[in-house]
């Protein structure tokens, strides 16, 4: 049985990836960020005989080597991801995103893993200069967060070039779905409507995004882990379509049967010049190298996401009235 390590497994995408790997017959070592409450985040509801949950921190290199030993494949998702908070605490993003990736690449090299998938983000491209955005698109660090992810990607690829580490940089565009943090636009809108609010607080609604349903993103990770000829490459996971924030809000309101109006909340606006205005990914490379294709339409994915958020047990985990950076 193949053993996979998932860092950031307690988070939104990591918990879904953990479930997918278990369903595919993997033994999964899931890294949960250490905390004194012994809280496993979104792993709390997952019980499986082939799941091993370990708590720790990717900022510790010795710990990274310890958890990597005996693993065939590493999916490195652990990161600080909230873009607004990166303006307030950029140093912590360097420590976790850049140094954490360095630690995991060094551990993967020392432990002889078959492949490490390092998670990037479409934010590294900044506002699109050309659409669809191919992997050759220039990198534009429009926030401290995206700058640290550009640095992390470069660290990962340097380990391929310098040490022949079998590393692939997976670059998912705007993943959404059940369990997503309220810092993101889709759960922000859904949770406000589901809690009975009719005046929905939002930021700028003009930017466009290429939304991936979380199951499709996780299938993309798995496809890259199993593929040939992907070492040393940066590969988009994208639908190739884009939709504005305003259109997204309107579709959610329609699906929820809600008569709402929106108001712009100034604290939800990014600093001038830092907002990424347009994202639409080119998925030619991943579809040429793997069998992966996006399966879940935006409408279907939003319906599934709404169904999850409107369950009272799930909704009570969120604070719709408070802006989550």
């Amino acid at each position: 049985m193949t053993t996979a390590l998932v860092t950031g497994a307690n988070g939104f995408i990591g918990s879904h990836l953990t479930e997918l790997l278990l369903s595919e017959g993997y033994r999964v070592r899931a890294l949960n960020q250490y905390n004194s409450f012994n809280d496993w985040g979104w792993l709390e509801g997952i019980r499986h005989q082939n799941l091993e949950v370990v708590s720790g921190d990717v900022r510790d290199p010795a710990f990274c080597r310890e958890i990597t030993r005996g693993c065939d494949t590493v999916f490195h998702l652990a990161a600080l991801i909230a873009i607004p908070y990166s303006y307030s605490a950029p140093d912590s993003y360097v420590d976790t995103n850049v140094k954490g990736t360095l630690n995991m690449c060094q551990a993967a090299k020392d432990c002889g893993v078959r492949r490490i998938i390092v998670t990037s983000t479409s934010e590294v491209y900044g506002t699109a200069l050309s659409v669809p955005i191919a992997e050759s698109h220039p990198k534009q660090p429009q926030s401290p967060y995206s700058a640290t992810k550009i640095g992390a990607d470069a660290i990962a690829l340097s380990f391929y070039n310098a040490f022949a580490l079998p590393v692939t940089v997976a670059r998912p565009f705007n993943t959404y779905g059940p369990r997503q943090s309220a810092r993101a636009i889709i759960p922000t809108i859904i949770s406000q409507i589901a809690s009975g609010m009719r005046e929905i607080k939002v930021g700028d609604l003009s930017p466009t995004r290429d939304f991936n349903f979380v199951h499709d993103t996780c299938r993309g990770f798995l496809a890259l882990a199993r593929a040939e000829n992907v070492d040393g490459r940066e590969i988009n996971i994208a639908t190739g379509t884009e939709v504005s924030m305003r259109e997204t809000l309107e579709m959610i309101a329609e699906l929820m049967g809600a008569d709402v109006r929106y108001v712009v909340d100034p604290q939800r606006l990014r600093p001038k010049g830092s907002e990424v205005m347009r994202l639409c990914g080119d998925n030619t490379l991943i579809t040429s190298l793997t069998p992966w294709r996006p399966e879940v339409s935006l409408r279907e994915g939003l319906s599934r996401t709404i169904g999850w958020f409107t369950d009272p047990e799930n909704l009570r985990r969120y604070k719709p009235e408070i802006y989550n950076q």
Side-chain angles (χ1 to χ4, degrees), residues 42-83:
W42 292 118
L43 294 172
E44 286 288 351
I46 304 174
R47 295 289 183 270
H48 197 284
Q49 62 182 359
N50 293 325
L51 174 63
E52 175 193 3
V53 178
V54 295
S55 294
D57 198 312
V58 295
R59 292 174 297 181
D60 188 296
F63 175 77
C64 290
R65 281 193 297 275
E66 179 183 336
I67 62 172
T68 303
R69 286 194 189 94
C71 294
D72 174 81
T73 307
V74 174
F75 296 90
H76 176 47
L77 283 77
L80 289 178
I81 60 172
I83 297 167

Side-chain angles (χ1 to χ4, degrees), residues 163-302:
F163 308 114
L165 179 69
V167 60
T168 303
V169 174
R171 185 164 293 131
F173 280 63
N174 307 98
T175 302
Y176 72 99
R179 306 177 193 156
Q180 187 173 20
S181 163
R183 62 171 185 79
I185 184 69
I186 288 175
T188 291
I189 295 169
I190 295 173
S191 60
Q192 288 183 75
I193 295 176
S195 67
M197 299 169 69
R198 291 296 171 259
E199 196 171 77
I200 307 305
K201 294 180 180 180
V202 294
D204 189 348
L205 292 178
S206 59
T208 67
R209 294 293 184 262
D210 184 334
F211 286 117
N212 279 302
F213 188 61
V214 64
H215 182 66
D216 281 341
T217 296
C218 293
R219 288 178 44 253
F221 279 114
L222 185 56
L224 292 175
R226 291 172 167 173
E228 303 294 333
N229 302 317
V230 297
D231 291 345
R233 306 184 83 159
E234 303 168 83
I235 302 177
N236 291 338
I237 303 174
T239 70
T241 60
E242 60 183 321
V243 60
S244 73
M245 301 296 194
R246 186 186 306 275
E247 292 169 315
T248 304
L249 185 154
E250 291 170 350
M251 188 180 296
I252 291 170
E254 177 201 338
L255 289 168
M256 297 183 74
D259 181 16
V260 298
R261 60 184 292 268
Y262 66 85
V263 293
V264 175
D265 180 359
Q267 69 175 330
R268 298 170 192 253
L269 298 172
R270 292 197 202 174
K272 185 177 180 180
S274 68
E275 177 67 87
V276 174
M277 298 306 296
R278 190 178 186 192
L279 286 174
C280 180
D282 186 339
N283 62 18
T284 302
L285 186 56
I286 191 171
T287 56
S288 68
L289 294 172
T290 77
W292 182 88
R293 303 291 185 276
E295 292 181 348
V296 182
S297 70
L298 179 60
R299 193 173 189 86
E300 180 185 351
L302 287 176

Side-chain angles (χ1 to χ4, degrees), residues 5 12 17 30 62 70 93 102 117 128 130 133 139-140 157 160 162 179 199 203 207 209-210 253 255-256 279:
L5 168 64
F12 162 47
L17 179 59
Y93 282 68
L102 169 64
I117 306 292
S130 59
I133 300 172
K139 309 297 192 300
Q140 302 182 95
L157 294 172
Y160 171 76
R179 306 177 193 156
E199 196 171 77
R209 294 293 184 262
D210 184 334
L255 289 168
M256 297 183 74
L279 286 174

